[in-house]
Every structure is written in C-alpha cells, then in structure tokens.
Amino acid sequence: VCLVEAQREAFGITPDSRVLQFSSLSFDASVSEIFVTLASGATLCLADAWRLSPGRQLGQTLNQLRITTVTLPPSILALLGEADLPYVQTLVVAGERCSSELASRWSVGRRLINAYGPTEATVCATLYDCPEGPQPAPPIGQPLPHCELLILDPQQRPVADGQVGELYIGGPSVARGYRHRPELTAAKFVPHPHTHDTAQRFYRSGDRVRRRGDGNIEFVGRI
C-alpha cells in the first residue's frame, strides 16, 4: 500500500495512463507495474513475451499499445530509439545504474525518473526526477515518504554528507526476513542502530552510497 500510494503520485498515474507490464511476475518490479496501475484506475497493458524482446520488437509494442508510462532497465532502454516512445510521458529506469548518456538523451521530451530499491524493501525506496537535457549520471535521489534511510559506517555510526557508508532502509515496507533462513535474517534485518528498538527494523542493503550537498543520495557500489 505504501509503495502504491507513493509511486502513483510520483509517476503521475491517472485513469488515462497506459502502463506496460514489462517485468516478469518473478521480478519484484511487476508488483509496482500491476498494483500501482490498477489501484489508480489506469490501464495495465499486457503483451506476449516475444513482443517484449529488447530492441525493435519492444519499440513496436510500445507504439501499438500507446504506452504512456513504462519502467525499463537502462540496458534495455539503450537498445531503443526516440521513435519507439512517441506516447511515453513518464519513463522510469531501474535495476541498474543509469549512465550520463542515457539520462541526457531520454530526459528530453518526457519525464525521466531514476528509481532504486531492493526487493527486501518492497521494490522501491528512492526516486530521482532527472532534469531535462545534458547531465551527469543521475543519483538515486531521495526516499519515498514511507522510507527512512540511514547511511552508516562499519560500526553503524552515521557518516557525514559526502562520505561513503552502507545504506540502511527502514519503514513499514521492510520485509519480515528470509524464509527459513533465520541466521541471514538476523544479519540483514537489524534493530534501529541508534535506539536499538527491536520493533523498528532496518534492512542492511549492502550498497555503498553517499549523500550529496543537495540532499540526493548517490550510489557508489556494492560492499
């Protein structure tokens, strides 16, 4: 519910939107595509797997279904041309790092949103609304309203802005743990590092990030 409410507003989904279900049901992004769309009264557009093949076939599908909102990995987006997205108003990239070249190219003529989030935090935790035109590689942005983010050093102490630390994610969308893996659950889902409140758990993402001066978070790499 938190994800649906946050992304519906952030992506501007309305009953007039036409959203492509690009992700397989085995991938967490499908949860966003399905429920954000249907809960907004919008149209969820389905296609056979062969019609979603990266490149020319996907481009034709986006055209034929008049898709207005789509979420794609940057590596898939890189295989498309501008003529493949004539109806797309909101383009979300997620799952991989977005390059400067892609952000600069695809931010023209539409909204381009760089999204980040591990499955353990229910699909998405941060968003960055890219400016239009030439730009450096986009950061992963700022947390969704229901997410609390901490950037901590190996001793679980907060790091200063600009310094690299591990990203901890808290809030109601954090998963309960890993099925039948209590030791891994205990290692990755921890009490609040500052208050040690066992009722408020954070997910240790394993991602190295830093907070920029403008408040946006930049992904650096994996630990």
Side-chain angles (χ1 to χ4, degrees):
V1 172
C2 291
L3 176 76
V4 167
E5 292 179 345
Q7 288 195 336
R8 177 170 56 190
E9 180 176 353
F11 296 169
I13 305 296
T14 71
D16 294 327
S17 300
R18 296 177 60 82
V19 182
L20 179 66
Q21 186 186 336
F22 176 77
S23 296
S24 163
L25 291 176
S26 63
F27 186 52
D28 66 352
S30 66
V31 172
S32 167
E33 292 167 339
I34 295 169
F35 293 104
V36 174
T37 304
L38 298 183
S40 303
T43 301
L44 182 67
C45 300
L46 310 181
D48 292 327
W50 66 269
R51 295 185 64 195
L52 301 176
S53 299
R56 182 176 59 87
Q57 191 62 61
L58 175 59
Q60 291 179 352
T61 300
L62 290 166
N63 265 301
Q64 292 166 357
L65 295 178
R66 304 189 311 280
I67 299 301
T68 65
T69 304
V70 63
T71 300
L72 297 172
S75 58
I76 301 296
L77 181 60
L79 300 177
L80 295 174
E82 280 77 0
D84 295 325
L85 282 74
Y87 301 100
V88 173
Q89 302 165 6
T90 301
L91 174 59
V92 183
V93 288
E96 303 163 353
R97 277 185 172 179
C98 181
S99 67
S100 169
E101 188 275 332
L102 279 179
S104 300
R105 175 185 178 191
W106 289 103
S107 60
V108 177
R110 65 188 63 81
R111 286 185 66 203
L112 178 66
I113 298 174
N114 190 35
Y116 160 87
T119 305
E120 291 88 345
T122 309
V123 186
C124 184
T126 71
L127 296 174
Y128 178 72
D129 214 326
C130 297
E132 185 172 2
Q135 59 192 283
I140 59 174
Q142 300 192 24
L144 298 181
H146 60 278
C147 292
E148 181 181 356
L149 305 184
L150 302 173
I151 304 176
L152 308 178
D153 68 13
Q155 288 72 46
Q156 294 190 340
R157 297 172 303 194
V159 302
D161 287 357
Q163 293 186 341
V164 175
E166 181 179 1
L167 182 64
Y168 287 60
I169 304 172
S173 288
V174 173
R176 298 176 184 175
Y178 298 109
R179 181 175 169 86
H180 301 320
R181 303 190 70 181
E183 292 183 358
L184 183 59
T185 295
K188 299 292 284 186
F189 295 88
V190 299
H192 193 295
H194 301 156
T195 67
H196 300 291
D197 178 5
T198 56
Q200 186 178 9
R201 296 174 314 124
F202 278 73
Y203 169 65
R204 298 187 61 172
S205 70
D207 289 330
R208 300 173 66 241
V209 301
R210 58 177 160 236
R211 182 176 282 106
R212 305 191 321 189
D214 61 4
N216 287 301
I217 295 172
E218 180 181 358
F219 178 82
V220 176
R222 292 287 293 166
I223 291 178

